[in-house]
Amino acid sequence: MNELQLERYSRQILLPNFDIEGQQKLMNARVMVIGLGGLGNIASCYLAAAGVGHLTLVDDDVVELSNLARQVLYKQDDVGVAKAQAAKTQIAQMNDEVAVEVLLERLDEASLAQRVTAYDLVLDCTDNFKIRQIVNKLCHQHKINLVSGAAIRWEGQVQSFLFAEHSKICYQCLYPNLNDTNLNCSQSGIISPVVGSIGVLQSLDAIKILSGCGRVQHAKLRVFDGFDGIWRDINLTQDPECVICT
């Protein structure tokens, strides 16, 4: 680690149990962020700022005017630009030491299976349930840690699955029958700080997992009611009929 890096990350390095070793682990880490909407916006910003060495940003969508109220990484001039590419541009201005790869496509199971093993951790920031199922399946299969978030209206939730250590309980256990006909932001609305709150927590869990500093509990569902300002923690249990982890 050079002198500029020591200065850039000095406040993190000062933390007990984190130190240079934790920072070096972040700098050596490879993270895939799937979905560059509101969640992926915030999470990727914090991961880049914290010094995660390699980010792969996956999204096949373009920036729309209606995105700007909650997807704060984008600027007005980005409307019409591919989200992942616009995010890469902004991240480069934030921390040019982070290697950023963009995939301007919606990955199917075959293409994701070819790529996912190259990463230490996956952030599920998508609003597509079919993709969530595929990501969960492949992360469980290849023992890759997964941090999943979601937000709608005034509510949000985040859960981390430490598949590198645990084989029981996965995202499929939580939502075995959910499908893409369910609620989405374009139909039901969303208040932007709720998205930000969940994205921040995703990045925090990711940083703790990657650095080995701090406690992250496998399969704990954290639910946020932004309207009333209430958090609830729920310990998930394994679905005995889960097709992924039983």
Side-chain angles (χ1 to χ4, degrees):
M1 193 177 299
N2 61 43
E3 291 185 8
L4 290 177
Q5 291 168 332
L6 288 171
E7 182 177 357
R8 177 188 285 270
Y9 305 120
S10 60
R11 301 305 187 269
Q12 294 177 177
I13 292 171
L14 283 171
L15 291 170
N17 303 320
F18 194 87
D19 210 326
I20 291 177
E21 181 180 359
Q23 187 62 51
Q24 194 65 60
K25 287 179 179 178
L26 288 188
M27 294 169 66
N28 293 337
R30 293 175 56 86
V31 175
M32 176 180 280
V33 181
I34 302 178
L36 269 296
L39 301 174
N41 252 236
I42 298 297
S44 60
C45 278
Y46 274 101
L47 294 180
V52 170
H54 182 103
L55 293 174
T56 296
L57 310 179
V58 184
D59 201 302
D60 67 338
D61 202 1
V62 299
V63 180
E64 299 178 3
L65 186 61
S66 61
N67 298 149
L68 300 182
R70 66 191 182 281
Q71 299 178 21
V72 296
L73 188 60
Y74 306 132
K75 313 304 179 186
Q76 289 185 154
D77 290 345
D78 292 323
V79 172
V81 177
K83 286 185 177 181
Q85 189 61 54
K88 178 180 179 178
T89 300
Q90 296 298 334
I91 288 171
Q93 296 177 13
M94 181 189 309
N95 188 348
D96 62 5
E97 292 192 336
V98 178
V100 181
E101 176 186 5
V102 299
L103 296 176
L104 307 180
E105 57 184 298
R106 180 168 296 193
L107 297 180
D108 57 19
E109 184 168 350
S111 57
L112 185 57
Q114 292 177 348
R115 295 178 180 274
V116 74
T117 55
Y119 297 90
D120 302 295
L121 183 143
V122 173
L123 252 67
D124 171 12
C125 301
T126 183
D127 59 1
N128 183 289
F129 184 66
K130 182 178 180 180
I131 295 175
R132 287 183 184 274
Q133 289 176 309
I134 293 171
V135 171
N136 174 73
K137 175 183 176 181
L138 292 174
C139 285
H140 182 272
Q141 179 181 339
H142 296 288
K143 301 185 183 305
I144 298 168
N145 294 318
L146 170 65
V147 181
S148 180
I152 192 77
R153 296 177 303 212
W154 292 85
E155 303 105 39
Q157 64 179 51
V158 61
Q159 54 274 317
S160 294
F161 298 98
L162 307 181
F163 292 138
E165 305 171 26
H166 301 272
S167 61
K168 303 297 184 183
I169 312 176
C170 70
Y171 187 85
Q172 185 78 15
C173 295
L174 177 61
Y175 292 120
N177 300 312
L178 197 65
N179 59 63
D180 288 320
T181 63
N182 293 85
L183 299 176
N184 59 56
C185 292
S186 63
Q187 296 174 335
S188 303
I190 181 70
I191 194 75
S192 58
V194 168
V195 178
S197 299
I198 301 302
V200 166
L201 277 179
Q202 286 185 272
S203 64
L204 178 60
D205 270 12
I207 288 169
K208 290 194 288 184
I209 293 168
L210 293 168
S211 68
C213 181
R215 181 170 179 264
V216 177
Q217 186 171 333
H218 173 67
K220 176 185 281 292
L221 173 63
R222 285 167 287 173
V223 180
F224 180 48
D225 179 343
F227 193 83
D228 290 322
I230 297 171
W231 282 96
R232 290 186 297 123
D233 286 352
I234 303 169
N235 292 318
L236 303 181
T237 56
Q238 186 178 35
D239 179 354
E241 298 181 356
C242 180
V243 297
I244 304 298
C245 66
T246 55

PDB file of all heavy atoms in Angstrom, residues 124 129 132-133 136 146 148 150 157 159 161 163 169-176 178 236:
ATOM      1  N   ASP A 124     -26.968  -8.274  -4.792  1.00  0.00           N
ATOM      2  CA  ASP A 124     -28.211  -8.366  -5.551  1.00  0.00           C
ATOM      3  C   ASP A 124     -28.988  -7.076  -5.318  1.00  0.00           C
ATOM      4  O   ASP A 124     -29.588  -6.883  -4.262  1.00  0.00           O
ATOM      5  CB  ASP A 124     -29.012  -9.584  -5.085  1.00  0.00           C
ATOM      6  CG  ASP A 124     -30.407  -9.630  -5.677  1.00  0.00           C
ATOM      7  OD1 ASP A 124     -30.690  -8.853  -6.624  1.00  0.00           O
ATOM      8  OD2 ASP A 124     -31.227 -10.428  -5.190  1.00  0.00           O
ATOM      9  N   PHE A 129     -37.343 -10.582 -10.037  1.00  0.00           N
ATOM     10  CA  PHE A 129     -37.308 -11.741  -9.155  1.00  0.00           C
ATOM     11  C   PHE A 129     -36.700 -12.968  -9.820  1.00  0.00           C
ATOM     12  O   PHE A 129     -36.019 -13.766  -9.172  1.00  0.00           O
ATOM     13  CB  PHE A 129     -38.716 -12.077  -8.661  1.00  0.00           C
ATOM     14  CG  PHE A 129     -38.724 -13.214  -7.679  1.00  0.00           C
ATOM     15  CD1 PHE A 129     -38.129 -13.074  -6.433  1.00  0.00           C
ATOM     16  CD2 PHE A 129     -39.299 -14.434  -8.000  1.00  0.00           C
ATOM     17  CE1 PHE A 129     -38.109 -14.129  -5.526  1.00  0.00           C
ATOM     18  CE2 PHE A 129     -39.283 -15.484  -7.110  1.00  0.00           C
ATOM     19  CZ  PHE A 129     -38.699 -15.335  -5.861  1.00  0.00           C
ATOM     20  N   ARG A 132     -33.103 -12.658  -9.323  1.00  0.00           N
ATOM     21  CA  ARG A 132     -32.787 -12.928  -7.923  1.00  0.00           C
ATOM     22  C   ARG A 132     -32.691 -14.430  -7.662  1.00  0.00           C
ATOM     23  O   ARG A 132     -31.788 -14.901  -6.954  1.00  0.00           O
ATOM     24  CB  ARG A 132     -33.865 -12.335  -7.013  1.00  0.00           C
ATOM     25  CG  ARG A 132     -33.838 -10.829  -6.890  1.00  0.00           C
ATOM     26  CD  ARG A 132     -34.908 -10.380  -5.889  1.00  0.00           C
ATOM     27  NE  ARG A 132     -35.002  -8.948  -5.792  1.00  0.00           N
ATOM     28  CZ  ARG A 132     -34.253  -8.205  -5.002  1.00  0.00           C
ATOM     29  NH1 ARG A 132     -33.360  -8.782  -4.229  1.00  0.00           N
ATOM     30  NH2 ARG A 132     -34.400  -6.895  -4.972  1.00  0.00           N
ATOM     31  N   GLN A 133     -33.616 -15.182  -8.202  1.00  0.00           N
ATOM     32  CA  GLN A 133     -33.598 -16.637  -8.021  1.00  0.00           C
ATOM     33  C   GLN A 133     -32.337 -17.254  -8.616  1.00  0.00           C
ATOM     34  O   GLN A 133     -31.711 -18.132  -8.010  1.00  0.00           O
ATOM     35  CB  GLN A 133     -34.835 -17.255  -8.667  1.00  0.00           C
ATOM     36  CG  GLN A 133     -36.136 -16.971  -7.944  1.00  0.00           C
ATOM     37  CD  GLN A 133     -37.321 -17.539  -8.707  1.00  0.00           C
ATOM     38  OE1 GLN A 133     -37.482 -17.310  -9.906  1.00  0.00           O
ATOM     39  NE2 GLN A 133     -38.158 -18.285  -8.006  1.00  0.00           N
ATOM     40  N   ASN A 136     -29.242 -16.275  -6.471  1.00  0.00           N
ATOM     41  CA  ASN A 136     -29.243 -17.069  -5.247  1.00  0.00           C
ATOM     42  C   ASN A 136     -28.769 -18.494  -5.514  1.00  0.00           C
ATOM     43  O   ASN A 136     -27.924 -19.047  -4.795  1.00  0.00           O
ATOM     44  CB  ASN A 136     -30.651 -17.079  -4.642  1.00  0.00           C
ATOM     45  CG  ASN A 136     -30.771 -18.010  -3.456  1.00  0.00           C
ATOM     46  OD1 ASN A 136     -30.272 -17.739  -2.374  1.00  0.00           O
ATOM     47  ND2 ASN A 136     -31.463 -19.137  -3.656  1.00  0.00           N
ATOM     48  N   LEU A 146     -23.535 -13.602  -0.626  1.00  0.00           N
ATOM     49  CA  LEU A 146     -24.558 -12.830  -1.323  1.00  0.00           C
ATOM     50  C   LEU A 146     -25.200 -11.835  -0.365  1.00  0.00           C
ATOM     51  O   LEU A 146     -25.602 -12.207   0.739  1.00  0.00           O
ATOM     52  CB  LEU A 146     -25.624 -13.774  -1.879  1.00  0.00           C
ATOM     53  CG  LEU A 146     -26.914 -13.170  -2.450  1.00  0.00           C
ATOM     54  CD1 LEU A 146     -26.627 -12.332  -3.684  1.00  0.00           C
ATOM     55  CD2 LEU A 146     -27.920 -14.281  -2.777  1.00  0.00           C
ATOM     56  N   SER A 148     -28.359  -9.249  -0.405  1.00  0.00           N
ATOM     57  CA  SER A 148     -29.548  -8.959  -1.201  1.00  0.00           C
ATOM     58  C   SER A 148     -30.369  -7.851  -0.556  1.00  0.00           C
ATOM     59  O   SER A 148     -30.579  -7.838   0.656  1.00  0.00           O
ATOM     60  CB  SER A 148     -30.403 -10.231  -1.328  1.00  0.00           C
ATOM     61  OG  SER A 148     -31.562  -9.986  -2.090  1.00  0.00           O
ATOM     62  N   ALA A 150     -33.886  -4.954  -1.209  1.00  0.00           N
ATOM     63  CA  ALA A 150     -35.094  -4.614  -1.966  1.00  0.00           C
ATOM     64  C   ALA A 150     -35.770  -3.433  -1.285  1.00  0.00           C
ATOM     65  O   ALA A 150     -35.641  -3.236  -0.065  1.00  0.00           O
ATOM     66  CB  ALA A 150     -36.046  -5.802  -2.032  1.00  0.00           C
ATOM     67  N   GLN A 157     -35.802  -3.898   2.725  1.00  0.00           N
ATOM     68  CA  GLN A 157     -35.271  -5.040   3.456  1.00  0.00           C
ATOM     69  C   GLN A 157     -33.905  -5.407   2.919  1.00  0.00           C
ATOM     70  O   GLN A 157     -33.578  -5.143   1.765  1.00  0.00           O
ATOM     71  CB  GLN A 157     -36.209  -6.245   3.353  1.00  0.00           C
ATOM     72  CG  GLN A 157     -36.384  -6.783   1.939  1.00  0.00           C
ATOM     73  CD  GLN A 157     -37.306  -7.988   1.882  1.00  0.00           C
ATOM     74  OE1 GLN A 157     -38.409  -7.952   2.406  1.00  0.00           O
ATOM     75  NE2 GLN A 157     -36.844  -9.044   1.241  1.00  0.00           N
ATOM     76  N   GLN A 159     -30.783  -8.657   3.480  1.00  0.00           N
ATOM     77  CA  GLN A 159     -30.345  -9.892   4.123  1.00  0.00           C
ATOM     78  C   GLN A 159     -29.065 -10.374   3.454  1.00  0.00           C
ATOM     79  O   GLN A 159     -28.874 -10.182   2.253  1.00  0.00           O
ATOM     80  CB  GLN A 159     -31.404 -10.993   4.068  1.00  0.00           C
ATOM     81  CG  GLN A 159     -31.942 -11.341   2.700  1.00  0.00           C
ATOM     82  CD  GLN A 159     -33.089 -10.452   2.272  1.00  0.00           C
ATOM     83  OE1 GLN A 159     -33.975 -10.163   3.049  1.00  0.00           O
ATOM     84  NE2 GLN A 159     -33.053 -10.016   1.025  1.00  0.00           N
ATOM     85  N   PHE A 161     -26.380 -13.644   2.924  1.00  0.00           N
ATOM     86  CA  PHE A 161     -26.260 -15.097   2.956  1.00  0.00           C
ATOM     87  C   PHE A 161     -24.777 -15.457   2.829  1.00  0.00           C
ATOM     88  O   PHE A 161     -24.166 -15.223   1.785  1.00  0.00           O
ATOM     89  CB  PHE A 161     -27.075 -15.724   1.829  1.00  0.00           C
ATOM     90  CG  PHE A 161     -28.548 -15.430   1.935  1.00  0.00           C
ATOM     91  CD1 PHE A 161     -29.126 -14.404   1.192  1.00  0.00           C
ATOM     92  CD2 PHE A 161     -29.355 -16.156   2.797  1.00  0.00           C
ATOM     93  CE1 PHE A 161     -30.483 -14.123   1.294  1.00  0.00           C
ATOM     94  CE2 PHE A 161     -30.714 -15.881   2.909  1.00  0.00           C
ATOM     95  CZ  PHE A 161     -31.277 -14.865   2.164  1.00  0.00           C
ATOM     96  N   PHE A 163     -22.767 -17.881   2.149  1.00  0.00           N
ATOM     97  CA  PHE A 163     -22.696 -19.207   1.541  1.00  0.00           C
ATOM     98  C   PHE A 163     -21.298 -19.807   1.581  1.00  0.00           C
ATOM     99  O   PHE A 163     -21.141 -21.022   1.434  1.00  0.00           O
ATOM    100  CB  PHE A 163     -23.196 -19.154   0.098  1.00  0.00           C
ATOM    101  CG  PHE A 163     -24.667 -18.884  -0.033  1.00  0.00           C
ATOM    102  CD1 PHE A 163     -25.149 -18.016  -1.005  1.00  0.00           C
ATOM    103  CD2 PHE A 163     -25.590 -19.493   0.808  1.00  0.00           C
ATOM    104  CE1 PHE A 163     -26.510 -17.768  -1.146  1.00  0.00           C
ATOM    105  CE2 PHE A 163     -26.957 -19.256   0.679  1.00  0.00           C
ATOM    106  CZ  PHE A 163     -27.413 -18.388  -0.301  1.00  0.00           C
ATOM    107  N   ILE A 169     -30.358 -22.460   4.463  1.00  0.00           N
ATOM    108  CA  ILE A 169     -31.140 -21.231   4.394  1.00  0.00           C
ATOM    109  C   ILE A 169     -30.619 -20.339   3.264  1.00  0.00           C
ATOM    110  O   ILE A 169     -29.451 -19.963   3.243  1.00  0.00           O
ATOM    111  CB  ILE A 169     -31.167 -20.425   5.701  1.00  0.00           C
ATOM    112  CG1 ILE A 169     -31.473 -21.313   6.915  1.00  0.00           C
ATOM    113  CG2 ILE A 169     -32.217 -19.305   5.593  1.00  0.00           C
ATOM    114  CD1 ILE A 169     -31.416 -20.549   8.243  1.00  0.00           C
ATOM    115  N   CYS A 170     -31.511 -20.016   2.338  1.00  0.00           N
ATOM    116  CA  CYS A 170     -31.143 -19.167   1.206  1.00  0.00           C
ATOM    117  C   CYS A 170     -32.324 -18.260   0.865  1.00  0.00           C
ATOM    118  O   CYS A 170     -33.387 -18.326   1.496  1.00  0.00           O
ATOM    119  CB  CYS A 170     -30.720 -20.024   0.010  1.00  0.00           C
ATOM    120  SG  CYS A 170     -32.085 -20.942  -0.773  1.00  0.00           S
ATOM    121  N   TYR A 171     -32.143 -17.438  -0.147  1.00  0.00           N
ATOM    122  CA  TYR A 171     -33.196 -16.498  -0.546  1.00  0.00           C
ATOM    123  C   TYR A 171     -34.462 -17.224  -0.980  1.00  0.00           C
ATOM    124  O   TYR A 171     -35.576 -16.752  -0.754  1.00  0.00           O
ATOM    125  CB  TYR A 171     -32.674 -15.610  -1.678  1.00  0.00           C
ATOM    126  CG  TYR A 171     -33.605 -14.489  -2.055  1.00  0.00           C
ATOM    127  CD1 TYR A 171     -33.580 -13.289  -1.358  1.00  0.00           C
ATOM    128  CD2 TYR A 171     -34.514 -14.626  -3.105  1.00  0.00           C
ATOM    129  CE1 TYR A 171     -34.436 -12.250  -1.698  1.00  0.00           C
ATOM    130  CE2 TYR A 171     -35.365 -13.591  -3.446  1.00  0.00           C
ATOM    131  CZ  TYR A 171     -35.325 -12.408  -2.738  1.00  0.00           C
ATOM    132  OH  TYR A 171     -36.185 -11.383  -3.071  1.00  0.00           O
ATOM    133  N   GLN A 172     -34.309 -18.392  -1.576  1.00  0.00           N
ATOM    134  CA  GLN A 172     -35.454 -19.179  -2.021  1.00  0.00           C
ATOM    135  C   GLN A 172     -36.323 -19.607  -0.841  1.00  0.00           C
ATOM    136  O   GLN A 172     -37.542 -19.723  -0.978  1.00  0.00           O
ATOM    137  CB  GLN A 172     -34.963 -20.416  -2.785  1.00  0.00           C
ATOM    138  CG  GLN A 172     -36.057 -21.260  -3.418  1.00  0.00           C
ATOM    139  CD  GLN A 172     -36.593 -20.673  -4.711  1.00  0.00           C
ATOM    140  OE1 GLN A 172     -35.975 -19.781  -5.286  1.00  0.00           O
ATOM    141  NE2 GLN A 172     -37.713 -21.169  -5.178  1.00  0.00           N
ATOM    142  N   CYS A 173     -35.708 -19.828   0.316  1.00  0.00           N
ATOM    143  CA  CYS A 173     -36.475 -20.180   1.510  1.00  0.00           C
ATOM    144  C   CYS A 173     -37.396 -19.039   1.924  1.00  0.00           C
ATOM    145  O   CYS A 173     -38.499 -19.264   2.423  1.00  0.00           O
ATOM    146  CB  CYS A 173     -35.534 -20.492   2.675  1.00  0.00           C
ATOM    147  SG  CYS A 173     -34.480 -21.935   2.452  1.00  0.00           S
ATOM    148  N   LEU A 174     -36.935 -17.811   1.704  1.00  0.00           N
ATOM    149  CA  LEU A 174     -37.710 -16.634   2.098  1.00  0.00           C
ATOM    150  C   LEU A 174     -38.877 -16.388   1.156  1.00  0.00           C
ATOM    151  O   LEU A 174     -39.993 -16.081   1.596  1.00  0.00           O
ATOM    152  CB  LEU A 174     -36.781 -15.409   2.135  1.00  0.00           C
ATOM    153  CG  LEU A 174     -37.409 -14.058   2.448  1.00  0.00           C
ATOM    154  CD1 LEU A 174     -38.046 -14.069   3.830  1.00  0.00           C
ATOM    155  CD2 LEU A 174     -36.346 -12.959   2.352  1.00  0.00           C
ATOM    156  N   TYR A 175     -38.641 -16.505  -0.155  1.00  0.00           N
ATOM    157  CA  TYR A 175     -39.663 -16.207  -1.152  1.00  0.00           C
ATOM    158  C   TYR A 175     -39.753 -17.330  -2.184  1.00  0.00           C
ATOM    159  O   TYR A 175     -39.321 -17.172  -3.329  1.00  0.00           O
ATOM    160  CB  TYR A 175     -39.348 -14.890  -1.866  1.00  0.00           C
ATOM    161  CG  TYR A 175     -39.455 -13.669  -0.999  1.00  0.00           C
ATOM    162  CD1 TYR A 175     -38.347 -12.842  -0.803  1.00  0.00           C
ATOM    163  CD2 TYR A 175     -40.657 -13.323  -0.375  1.00  0.00           C
ATOM    164  CE1 TYR A 175     -38.450 -11.703  -0.012  1.00  0.00           C
ATOM    165  CE2 TYR A 175     -40.756 -12.194   0.421  1.00  0.00           C
ATOM    166  CZ  TYR A 175     -39.650 -11.387   0.595  1.00  0.00           C
ATOM    167  OH  TYR A 175     -39.751 -10.264   1.379  1.00  0.00           O
ATOM    168  N   PRO A 176     -40.310 -18.459  -1.807  1.00  0.00           N
ATOM    169  CA  PRO A 176     -40.366 -19.569  -2.758  1.00  0.00           C
ATOM    170  C   PRO A 176     -41.330 -19.358  -3.916  1.00  0.00           C
ATOM    171  O   PRO A 176     -41.162 -19.947  -4.985  1.00  0.00           O
ATOM    172  CB  PRO A 176     -40.816 -20.751  -1.892  1.00  0.00           C
ATOM    173  CG  PRO A 176     -41.562 -20.124  -0.752  1.00  0.00           C
ATOM    174  CD  PRO A 176     -40.857 -18.827  -0.487  1.00  0.00           C
ATOM    175  N   LEU A 178     -42.651 -16.051  -4.949  1.00  0.00           N
ATOM    176  CA  LEU A 178     -42.755 -14.699  -5.476  1.00  0.00           C
ATOM    177  C   LEU A 178     -42.402 -14.685  -6.951  1.00  0.00           C
ATOM    178  O   LEU A 178     -41.565 -15.459  -7.410  1.00  0.00           O
ATOM    179  CB  LEU A 178     -41.800 -13.771  -4.717  1.00  0.00           C
ATOM    180  CG  LEU A 178     -42.059 -12.268  -4.845  1.00  0.00           C
ATOM    181  CD1 LEU A 178     -43.390 -11.895  -4.222  1.00  0.00           C
ATOM    182  CD2 LEU A 178     -40.927 -11.493  -4.165  1.00  0.00           C
ATOM    183  N   LEU A 236     -34.312 -15.983   9.692  1.00  0.00           N
ATOM    184  CA  LEU A 236     -34.945 -16.873   8.734  1.00  0.00           C
ATOM    185  C   LEU A 236     -34.693 -18.326   9.100  1.00  0.00           C
ATOM    186  O   LEU A 236     -33.692 -18.674   9.731  1.00  0.00           O
ATOM    187  CB  LEU A 236     -34.413 -16.599   7.327  1.00  0.00           C
ATOM    188  CG  LEU A 236     -34.572 -15.172   6.815  1.00  0.00           C
ATOM    189  CD1 LEU A 236     -34.026 -15.058   5.396  1.00  0.00           C
ATOM    190  CD2 LEU A 236     -36.017 -14.729   6.851  1.00  0.00           C
TER     191      LEU A 236
END
